[in-house]
Amino acid sequence: MSMMVNSPLYPDDVDILASALYAWCAERNVKLQSQEGLSAANVAISLYEAGYQTQDQLLGALHEYEFH
């Protein structure tokens, strides 16, 4: 599955995304490489592009997102 990104991600962007995603995965004991971890990564990127651009904002939005 390919993913289209609207704007380039810079190292600082990746750091924010990774930090929030690793924290979310650790809280739920989910491996990033699992289906749930990959789904969370896709959601995190979408949320970041929607304006959740700090680790705290992104992690809070991930907490509120309902994964199926």
Side-chain angles (χ1 to χ4, degrees), residues 4 10 15 19-20 29 31 36 44 50 52 54 60:
M4 293 185 60
Y10 297 100
D15 288 344
S19 296
N29 199 28
K31 293 184 185 231
E36 188 175 5
Y52 297 89
T54 69

Side-chain angles (χ1 to χ4, degrees), residues 6-64:
N6 294 334
S7 59
L9 294 175
Y10 297 100
D12 288 344
D13 301 321
V14 174
D15 288 344
I16 291 167
L17 283 162
S19 296
L21 189 56
Y22 289 141
W24 185 90
C25 286
E27 291 170 357
R28 287 163 178 73
N29 199 28
V30 170
K31 293 184 185 231
L32 182 55
Q33 297 83 10
S34 69
Q35 185 60 44
E36 188 175 5
L38 294 174
S39 293
N42 282 326
V43 169
I45 291 168
S46 294
L47 290 168
Y48 189 83
E49 290 177 340
Y52 297 89
Q53 296 191 338
T54 69
Q55 181 182 346
D56 289 339
Q57 289 174 340
L58 195 51
L59 189 54
L62 283 170
H63 286 152
E64 293 177 16

